[in-house]
Amino acid sequence: MQETELRKVHFIGIGGIGMSALANYFISKNINVSGYDKVKSEITQNLENKGAKIFYEDNLNLIDGIKNIDLVIYTPAIGEDNNQLKYFSNYSIPLLKRSEVLGDISRLYKTIAVAGTHGKTTTSSIIAHILRTSNLDGVCFIGGITSNYNSNFLLGKGVLSVMEADEYDRSFLKLSPHTIVLTSMDADHLDIYDNKETLQSSFYNFTDLLENKKKLIVEEGLKNLFENNLTYGFNSESNLQILNIKIINSCYQFDIKYRSKIYNNFSFKMPGKYNLINAAGAVLSCLENEINMDDIRSALHSYKGVKRRFDIHVENSEIVYIDDYAHHPSEISALLSAVKEFYPNKKTIGVFQPHLYSRTRDFLKDFSSSLSSLDELFLLPIYPAREKPIKGINSSLLLSKVPLLKKQIISSESDLFSQLDAKNSYVLLTIGAGDIDEWVPSIIDYIDKND
């Protein structure tokens, strides 16, 4: 991909969080961008406001200047029956996956690649915020909308880049990382990987891409799986340790030990020990790329999080409402642990939308265990995303496995509200990676009216 030769780029699936960040990149380079997506959203509207020509019907006639397109980028989430994909597959212009294009861009910078089955978005967004506030950011691709910048894309004049390294479809093997932060390697995407061992093997292949093996930074629980790596976490043996943790005014206060020296007075507003771990990985990656500790301390203090990651929409003396993207049992367990830590005296009510039939099937026992930490569960039908239904796998099956007395399946906001009317003093959680976030405005409105 020769950027300087591109005049017009077309995206198939432009509304996705990763694809839209790439679209923003090309727009920032004054390249004409067009695209298709099934659903009009705030993301696609923002791209249209910046000049992108976007349509929402899979119709080739809607592509303006189809003969003038220099590059087509698509996401693996697009089905093989897509008319554009079929057309451009037989066309003479380059047709590339998103991961291939990211790989080309990663070679232009000293790229910090954040990999792992959990924690990528938060960790990469913290790194991006540190880079931006230190005026060292080159380009930052983030898998979520940062609350500090209301964007999933940052472009500066620096040489450092941060990118999420996506293990789905082995996409991360296209990148050229200068530094790797590896947050976790739990079993996931078993529709792509047959088992956990195959998944781990793919992560090993990814870390082999590093030219300097000393730039591999792993969460302390993974330290024995690699050689010559740096580690971060809460243990004193780690290369970067977070210690002396306190919660003051709903904010973590802590110190950091790095290279045998203790640095004091750090603050971080994101609840959950898992978010402190994410922050530790981000800090270590920035220190190893020669960013000043004082700049890092200031950035952590001003970091506001990522939308749909412990996203607090309502917080008063009676009701707290949080929306979260958690869609794996480990993520749900971490989320609920954080809720109990910060709101120990409130009942916890969860509204969970399972994501993918295959993931529900593969982790049925784990989901039932993680969801059992709730006081009450409302379960939505499974969000299929790219999948077709699997016989016998549905929300009723999952509900039957969750050992809670208070649990039921619902299908609408009104179903939820009718059950909440008689309740008070609780933490309400909407959980899932599908379209449950579309409920957020209605829930906020309901709470406001009944406050």
PDB file of all heavy atoms in Angstrom, residues 226-253:
ATOM      1  N   PHE A 226       6.889 -17.038  28.793  1.00  0.00           N
ATOM      2  CA  PHE A 226       7.791 -16.374  27.845  1.00  0.00           C
ATOM      3  C   PHE A 226       9.187 -16.263  28.451  1.00  0.00           C
ATOM      4  O   PHE A 226       9.382 -16.496  29.646  1.00  0.00           O
ATOM      5  CB  PHE A 226       7.264 -14.979  27.490  1.00  0.00           C
ATOM      6  CG  PHE A 226       5.924 -14.983  26.822  1.00  0.00           C
ATOM      7  CD1 PHE A 226       4.757 -14.899  27.577  1.00  0.00           C
ATOM      8  CD2 PHE A 226       5.812 -15.095  25.454  1.00  0.00           C
ATOM      9  CE1 PHE A 226       3.515 -14.919  26.971  1.00  0.00           C
ATOM     10  CE2 PHE A 226       4.579 -15.115  24.829  1.00  0.00           C
ATOM     11  CZ  PHE A 226       3.425 -15.027  25.594  1.00  0.00           C
ATOM     12  N   GLU A 227      10.153 -15.888  27.619  1.00  0.00           N
ATOM     13  CA  GLU A 227      11.521 -15.679  28.075  1.00  0.00           C
ATOM     14  C   GLU A 227      11.937 -14.238  27.812  1.00  0.00           C
ATOM     15  O   GLU A 227      11.505 -13.628  26.834  1.00  0.00           O
ATOM     16  CB  GLU A 227      12.477 -16.632  27.350  1.00  0.00           C
ATOM     17  CG  GLU A 227      12.213 -18.112  27.641  1.00  0.00           C
ATOM     18  CD  GLU A 227      13.167 -19.020  26.886  1.00  0.00           C
ATOM     19  OE1 GLU A 227      13.999 -18.487  26.129  1.00  0.00           O
ATOM     20  OE2 GLU A 227      13.059 -20.251  27.050  1.00  0.00           O
ATOM     21  N   ASN A 228      12.766 -13.707  28.722  1.00  0.00           N
ATOM     22  CA  ASN A 228      13.344 -12.359  28.561  1.00  0.00           C
ATOM     23  C   ASN A 228      12.292 -11.258  28.497  1.00  0.00           C
ATOM     24  O   ASN A 228      12.515 -10.204  27.901  1.00  0.00           O
ATOM     25  CB  ASN A 228      14.217 -12.294  27.294  1.00  0.00           C
ATOM     26  CG  ASN A 228      15.345 -13.294  27.324  1.00  0.00           C
ATOM     27  OD1 ASN A 228      15.974 -13.487  28.363  1.00  0.00           O
ATOM     28  ND2 ASN A 228      15.604 -13.941  26.199  1.00  0.00           N
ATOM     29  N   ASN A 229      11.129 -11.497  29.083  1.00  0.00           N
ATOM     30  CA  ASN A 229      10.068 -10.497  29.047  1.00  0.00           C
ATOM     31  C   ASN A 229      10.089  -9.627  30.296  1.00  0.00           C
ATOM     32  O   ASN A 229      10.616 -10.012  31.339  1.00  0.00           O
ATOM     33  CB  ASN A 229       8.698 -11.169  28.926  1.00  0.00           C
ATOM     34  CG  ASN A 229       8.485 -12.209  30.015  1.00  0.00           C
ATOM     35  OD1 ASN A 229       8.978 -13.317  29.912  1.00  0.00           O
ATOM     36  ND2 ASN A 229       7.748 -11.848  31.062  1.00  0.00           N
ATOM     37  N   LEU A 230       9.495  -8.448  30.183  1.00  0.00           N
ATOM     38  CA  LEU A 230       9.245  -7.585  31.336  1.00  0.00           C
ATOM     39  C   LEU A 230       7.836  -7.860  31.843  1.00  0.00           C
ATOM     40  O   LEU A 230       6.941  -8.214  31.067  1.00  0.00           O
ATOM     41  CB  LEU A 230       9.392  -6.117  30.936  1.00  0.00           C
ATOM     42  CG  LEU A 230      10.758  -5.684  30.415  1.00  0.00           C
ATOM     43  CD1 LEU A 230      10.707  -4.228  29.947  1.00  0.00           C
ATOM     44  CD2 LEU A 230      11.844  -5.880  31.459  1.00  0.00           C
ATOM     45  N   THR A 231       7.620  -7.676  33.143  1.00  0.00           N
ATOM     46  CA  THR A 231       6.309  -7.975  33.730  1.00  0.00           C
ATOM     47  C   THR A 231       5.783  -6.774  34.510  1.00  0.00           C
ATOM     48  O   THR A 231       6.548  -5.925  34.972  1.00  0.00           O
ATOM     49  CB  THR A 231       6.386  -9.183  34.669  1.00  0.00           C
ATOM     50  OG1 THR A 231       7.330  -8.917  35.721  1.00  0.00           O
ATOM     51  CG2 THR A 231       6.816 -10.431  33.914  1.00  0.00           C
ATOM     52  N   TYR A 232       4.449  -6.747  34.659  1.00  0.00           N
ATOM     53  CA  TYR A 232       3.805  -5.693  35.436  1.00  0.00           C
ATOM     54  C   TYR A 232       2.670  -6.285  36.251  1.00  0.00           C
ATOM     55  O   TYR A 232       2.100  -7.318  35.897  1.00  0.00           O
ATOM     56  CB  TYR A 232       3.277  -4.591  34.523  1.00  0.00           C
ATOM     57  CG  TYR A 232       2.224  -5.059  33.522  1.00  0.00           C
ATOM     58  CD1 TYR A 232       0.863  -5.023  33.836  1.00  0.00           C
ATOM     59  CD2 TYR A 232       2.588  -5.532  32.261  1.00  0.00           C
ATOM     60  CE1 TYR A 232      -0.100  -5.446  32.925  1.00  0.00           C
ATOM     61  CE2 TYR A 232       1.637  -5.951  31.349  1.00  0.00           C
ATOM     62  CZ  TYR A 232       0.299  -5.908  31.685  1.00  0.00           C
ATOM     63  OH  TYR A 232      -0.651  -6.330  30.783  1.00  0.00           O
ATOM     64  N   GLY A 233       2.369  -5.621  37.373  1.00  0.00           N
ATOM     65  CA  GLY A 233       1.275  -6.100  38.215  1.00  0.00           C
ATOM     66  C   GLY A 233       1.420  -5.641  39.644  1.00  0.00           C
ATOM     67  O   GLY A 233       1.939  -4.551  39.920  1.00  0.00           O
ATOM     68  N   PHE A 234       0.994  -6.501  40.577  1.00  0.00           N
ATOM     69  CA  PHE A 234       0.992  -6.159  41.997  1.00  0.00           C
ATOM     70  C   PHE A 234       2.107  -6.857  42.783  1.00  0.00           C
ATOM     71  O   PHE A 234       2.322  -6.565  43.950  1.00  0.00           O
ATOM     72  CB  PHE A 234      -0.352  -6.528  42.629  1.00  0.00           C
ATOM     73  CG  PHE A 234      -1.538  -5.859  41.977  1.00  0.00           C
ATOM     74  CD1 PHE A 234      -2.622  -6.603  41.523  1.00  0.00           C
ATOM     75  CD2 PHE A 234      -1.570  -4.486  41.807  1.00  0.00           C
ATOM     76  CE1 PHE A 234      -3.703  -5.991  40.919  1.00  0.00           C
ATOM     77  CE2 PHE A 234      -2.654  -3.865  41.210  1.00  0.00           C
ATOM     78  CZ  PHE A 234      -3.729  -4.618  40.763  1.00  0.00           C
ATOM     79  N   ASN A 235       2.796  -7.801  42.156  1.00  0.00           N
ATOM     80  CA  ASN A 235       3.830  -8.570  42.857  1.00  0.00           C
ATOM     81  C   ASN A 235       5.159  -7.827  42.889  1.00  0.00           C
ATOM     82  O   ASN A 235       5.532  -7.157  41.919  1.00  0.00           O
ATOM     83  CB  ASN A 235       4.036  -9.936  42.187  1.00  0.00           C
ATOM     84  CG  ASN A 235       2.797 -10.812  42.290  1.00  0.00           C
ATOM     85  OD1 ASN A 235       2.031 -10.688  43.235  1.00  0.00           O
ATOM     86  ND2 ASN A 235       2.612 -11.694  41.322  1.00  0.00           N
ATOM     87  N   SER A 236       5.886  -7.997  43.976  1.00  0.00           N
ATOM     88  CA  SER A 236       7.153  -7.284  44.144  1.00  0.00           C
ATOM     89  C   SER A 236       8.212  -7.756  43.152  1.00  0.00           C
ATOM     90  O   SER A 236       9.164  -7.028  42.870  1.00  0.00           O
ATOM     91  CB  SER A 236       7.672  -7.473  45.576  1.00  0.00           C
ATOM     92  OG  SER A 236       7.842  -8.858  45.870  1.00  0.00           O
ATOM     93  N   GLU A 237       8.043  -8.969  42.593  1.00  0.00           N
ATOM     94  CA  GLU A 237       9.016  -9.480  41.632  1.00  0.00           C
ATOM     95  C   GLU A 237       8.832  -8.867  40.239  1.00  0.00           C
ATOM     96  O   GLU A 237       9.706  -9.003  39.370  1.00  0.00           O
ATOM     97  CB  GLU A 237       8.894 -11.005  41.510  1.00  0.00           C
ATOM     98  CG  GLU A 237       9.183 -11.760  42.790  1.00  0.00           C
ATOM     99  CD  GLU A 237       7.967 -11.836  43.705  1.00  0.00           C
ATOM    100  OE1 GLU A 237       6.866 -11.458  43.235  1.00  0.00           O
ATOM    101  OE2 GLU A 237       8.120 -12.233  44.874  1.00  0.00           O
ATOM    102  N   SER A 238       7.706  -8.211  40.001  1.00  0.00           N
ATOM    103  CA  SER A 238       7.443  -7.651  38.677  1.00  0.00           C
ATOM    104  C   SER A 238       8.339  -6.447  38.401  1.00  0.00           C
ATOM    105  O   SER A 238       8.743  -5.737  39.320  1.00  0.00           O
ATOM    106  CB  SER A 238       5.973  -7.240  38.553  1.00  0.00           C
ATOM    107  OG  SER A 238       5.132  -8.383  38.541  1.00  0.00           O
ATOM    108  N   ASN A 239       8.632  -6.221  37.113  1.00  0.00           N
ATOM    109  CA  ASN A 239       9.482  -5.085  36.749  1.00  0.00           C
ATOM    110  C   ASN A 239       8.818  -3.756  37.056  1.00  0.00           C
ATOM    111  O   ASN A 239       9.489  -2.759  37.339  1.00  0.00           O
ATOM    112  CB  ASN A 239       9.827  -5.151  35.267  1.00  0.00           C
ATOM    113  CG  ASN A 239      10.631  -6.388  34.921  1.00  0.00           C
ATOM    114  OD1 ASN A 239      10.073  -7.395  34.517  1.00  0.00           O
ATOM    115  ND2 ASN A 239      11.937  -6.337  35.110  1.00  0.00           N
ATOM    116  N   LEU A 240       7.502  -3.724  36.971  1.00  0.00           N
ATOM    117  CA  LEU A 240       6.743  -2.560  37.441  1.00  0.00           C
ATOM    118  C   LEU A 240       5.658  -3.063  38.381  1.00  0.00           C
ATOM    119  O   LEU A 240       4.862  -3.929  38.011  1.00  0.00           O
ATOM    120  CB  LEU A 240       6.128  -1.775  36.289  1.00  0.00           C
ATOM    121  CG  LEU A 240       5.418  -0.479  36.735  1.00  0.00           C
ATOM    122  CD1 LEU A 240       5.718   0.667  35.773  1.00  0.00           C
ATOM    123  CD2 LEU A 240       3.908  -0.672  36.847  1.00  0.00           C
ATOM    124  N   GLN A 241       5.674  -2.522  39.594  1.00  0.00           N
ATOM    125  CA  GLN A 241       4.719  -2.945  40.620  1.00  0.00           C
ATOM    126  C   GLN A 241       3.864  -1.771  41.067  1.00  0.00           C
ATOM    127  O   GLN A 241       4.374  -0.684  41.332  1.00  0.00           O
ATOM    128  CB  GLN A 241       5.461  -3.509  41.841  1.00  0.00           C
ATOM    129  CG  GLN A 241       4.539  -3.936  42.984  1.00  0.00           C
ATOM    130  CD  GLN A 241       5.282  -4.189  44.292  1.00  0.00           C
ATOM    131  OE1 GLN A 241       6.464  -3.852  44.412  1.00  0.00           O
ATOM    132  NE2 GLN A 241       4.600  -4.765  45.261  1.00  0.00           N
ATOM    133  N   ILE A 242       2.555  -1.999  41.140  1.00  0.00           N
ATOM    134  CA  ILE A 242       1.655  -1.036  41.772  1.00  0.00           C
ATOM    135  C   ILE A 242       1.467  -1.456  43.223  1.00  0.00           C
ATOM    136  O   ILE A 242       1.149  -2.616  43.505  1.00  0.00           O
ATOM    137  CB  ILE A 242       0.313  -0.979  41.031  1.00  0.00           C
ATOM    138  CG1 ILE A 242       0.500  -0.265  39.690  1.00  0.00           C
ATOM    139  CG2 ILE A 242      -0.758  -0.276  41.854  1.00  0.00           C
ATOM    140  CD1 ILE A 242      -0.764   0.008  38.928  1.00  0.00           C
ATOM    141  N   LEU A 243       1.663  -0.546  44.152  1.00  0.00           N
ATOM    142  CA  LEU A 243       1.612  -0.887  45.575  1.00  0.00           C
ATOM    143  C   LEU A 243       1.007   0.256  46.384  1.00  0.00           C
ATOM    144  O   LEU A 243       0.763   1.347  45.854  1.00  0.00           O
ATOM    145  CB  LEU A 243       2.998  -1.235  46.099  1.00  0.00           C
ATOM    146  CG  LEU A 243       4.085  -0.146  46.204  1.00  0.00           C
ATOM    147  CD1 LEU A 243       5.229  -0.640  47.084  1.00  0.00           C
ATOM    148  CD2 LEU A 243       4.625   0.259  44.852  1.00  0.00           C
ATOM    149  N   ASN A 244       0.744  -0.030  47.653  1.00  0.00           N
ATOM    150  CA  ASN A 244       0.152   0.942  48.587  1.00  0.00           C
ATOM    151  C   ASN A 244      -1.165   1.504  48.046  1.00  0.00           C
ATOM    152  O   ASN A 244      -1.398   2.719  48.057  1.00  0.00           O
ATOM    153  CB  ASN A 244       1.136   2.083  48.879  1.00  0.00           C
ATOM    154  CG  ASN A 244       2.450   1.584  49.456  1.00  0.00           C
ATOM    155  OD1 ASN A 244       2.469   0.580  50.180  1.00  0.00           O
ATOM    156  ND2 ASN A 244       3.545   2.254  49.154  1.00  0.00           N
ATOM    157  N   ILE A 245      -2.049   0.617  47.614  1.00  0.00           N
ATOM    158  CA  ILE A 245      -3.304   1.012  46.966  1.00  0.00           C
ATOM    159  C   ILE A 245      -4.352   1.395  48.013  1.00  0.00           C
ATOM    160  O   ILE A 245      -4.576   0.681  48.986  1.00  0.00           O
ATOM    161  CB  ILE A 245      -3.849  -0.144  46.098  1.00  0.00           C
ATOM    162  CG1 ILE A 245      -2.800  -0.570  45.074  1.00  0.00           C
ATOM    163  CG2 ILE A 245      -5.147   0.255  45.418  1.00  0.00           C
ATOM    164  CD1 ILE A 245      -3.118  -1.903  44.421  1.00  0.00           C
ATOM    165  N   LYS A 246      -4.984   2.540  47.787  1.00  0.00           N
ATOM    166  CA  LYS A 246      -6.095   2.988  48.631  1.00  0.00           C
ATOM    167  C   LYS A 246      -7.213   3.505  47.726  1.00  0.00           C
ATOM    168  O   LYS A 246      -6.958   3.910  46.578  1.00  0.00           O
ATOM    169  CB  LYS A 246      -5.646   4.112  49.572  1.00  0.00           C
ATOM    170  CG  LYS A 246      -4.528   3.738  50.533  1.00  0.00           C
ATOM    171  CD  LYS A 246      -4.091   4.943  51.339  1.00  0.00           C
ATOM    172  CE  LYS A 246      -2.912   4.594  52.249  1.00  0.00           C
ATOM    173  NZ  LYS A 246      -2.430   5.790  53.007  1.00  0.00           N
ATOM    174  N   ILE A 247      -8.431   3.485  48.237  1.00  0.00           N
ATOM    175  CA  ILE A 247      -9.553   4.116  47.539  1.00  0.00           C
ATOM    176  C   ILE A 247      -9.954   5.352  48.333  1.00  0.00           C
ATOM    177  O   ILE A 247     -10.384   5.248  49.484  1.00  0.00           O
ATOM    178  CB  ILE A 247     -10.751   3.162  47.392  1.00  0.00           C
ATOM    179  CG1 ILE A 247     -10.351   1.925  46.579  1.00  0.00           C
ATOM    180  CG2 ILE A 247     -11.927   3.876  46.714  1.00  0.00           C
ATOM    181  CD1 ILE A 247     -11.449   0.881  46.481  1.00  0.00           C
ATOM    182  N   ILE A 248      -9.792   6.515  47.749  1.00  0.00           N
ATOM    183  CA  ILE A 248     -10.133   7.782  48.396  1.00  0.00           C
ATOM    184  C   ILE A 248     -11.036   8.572  47.458  1.00  0.00           C
ATOM    185  O   ILE A 248     -10.666   8.854  46.316  1.00  0.00           O
ATOM    186  CB  ILE A 248      -8.861   8.594  48.733  1.00  0.00           C
ATOM    187  CG1 ILE A 248      -7.949   7.793  49.671  1.00  0.00           C
ATOM    188  CG2 ILE A 248      -9.239   9.938  49.360  1.00  0.00           C
ATOM    189  CD1 ILE A 248      -6.615   8.461  49.950  1.00  0.00           C
ATOM    190  N   ASN A 249     -12.233   8.902  47.937  1.00  0.00           N
ATOM    191  CA  ASN A 249     -13.199   9.656  47.123  1.00  0.00           C
ATOM    192  C   ASN A 249     -13.448   8.986  45.767  1.00  0.00           C
ATOM    193  O   ASN A 249     -13.378   9.633  44.706  1.00  0.00           O
ATOM    194  CB  ASN A 249     -12.724  11.103  46.923  1.00  0.00           C
ATOM    195  CG  ASN A 249     -12.629  11.868  48.226  1.00  0.00           C
ATOM    196  OD1 ASN A 249     -13.445  11.662  49.126  1.00  0.00           O
ATOM    197  ND2 ASN A 249     -11.643  12.736  48.328  1.00  0.00           N
ATOM    198  N   SER A 250     -13.700   7.672  45.826  1.00  0.00           N
ATOM    199  CA  SER A 250     -14.008   6.877  44.623  1.00  0.00           C
ATOM    200  C   SER A 250     -12.897   6.931  43.585  1.00  0.00           C
ATOM    201  O   SER A 250     -13.139   6.897  42.383  1.00  0.00           O
ATOM    202  CB  SER A 250     -15.335   7.346  43.993  1.00  0.00           C
ATOM    203  OG  SER A 250     -16.405   7.166  44.885  1.00  0.00           O
ATOM    204  N   CYS A 251     -11.672   6.992  44.061  1.00  0.00           N
ATOM    205  CA  CYS A 251     -10.515   7.068  43.162  1.00  0.00           C
ATOM    206  C   CYS A 251      -9.365   6.270  43.771  1.00  0.00           C
ATOM    207  O   CYS A 251      -9.133   6.340  44.979  1.00  0.00           O
ATOM    208  CB  CYS A 251     -10.118   8.531  42.962  1.00  0.00           C
ATOM    209  SG  CYS A 251      -8.715   8.796  41.867  1.00  0.00           S
ATOM    210  N   TYR A 252      -8.676   5.494  42.952  1.00  0.00           N
ATOM    211  CA  TYR A 252      -7.498   4.777  43.436  1.00  0.00           C
ATOM    212  C   TYR A 252      -6.346   5.746  43.663  1.00  0.00           C
ATOM    213  O   TYR A 252      -6.067   6.622  42.835  1.00  0.00           O
ATOM    214  CB  TYR A 252      -7.046   3.736  42.417  1.00  0.00           C
ATOM    215  CG  TYR A 252      -7.849   2.464  42.387  1.00  0.00           C
ATOM    216  CD1 TYR A 252      -8.471   2.053  41.214  1.00  0.00           C
ATOM    217  CD2 TYR A 252      -7.970   1.654  43.520  1.00  0.00           C
ATOM    218  CE1 TYR A 252      -9.194   0.874  41.162  1.00  0.00           C
ATOM    219  CE2 TYR A 252      -8.697   0.482  43.484  1.00  0.00           C
ATOM    220  CZ  TYR A 252      -9.306   0.092  42.312  1.00  0.00           C
ATOM    221  OH  TYR A 252     -10.023  -1.069  42.266  1.00  0.00           O
ATOM    222  N   GLN A 253      -5.680   5.588  44.793  1.00  0.00           N
ATOM    223  CA  GLN A 253      -4.421   6.283  45.072  1.00  0.00           C
ATOM    224  C   GLN A 253      -3.368   5.202  45.285  1.00  0.00           C
ATOM    225  O   GLN A 253      -3.622   4.226  45.996  1.00  0.00           O
ATOM    226  CB  GLN A 253      -4.543   7.155  46.326  1.00  0.00           C
ATOM    227  CG  GLN A 253      -5.711   8.121  46.325  1.00  0.00           C
ATOM    228  CD  GLN A 253      -5.500   9.294  45.390  1.00  0.00           C
ATOM    229  OE1 GLN A 253      -4.378   9.661  45.074  1.00  0.00           O
ATOM    230  NE2 GLN A 253      -6.600   9.884  44.919  1.00  0.00           N
TER     231      GLN A 253
END
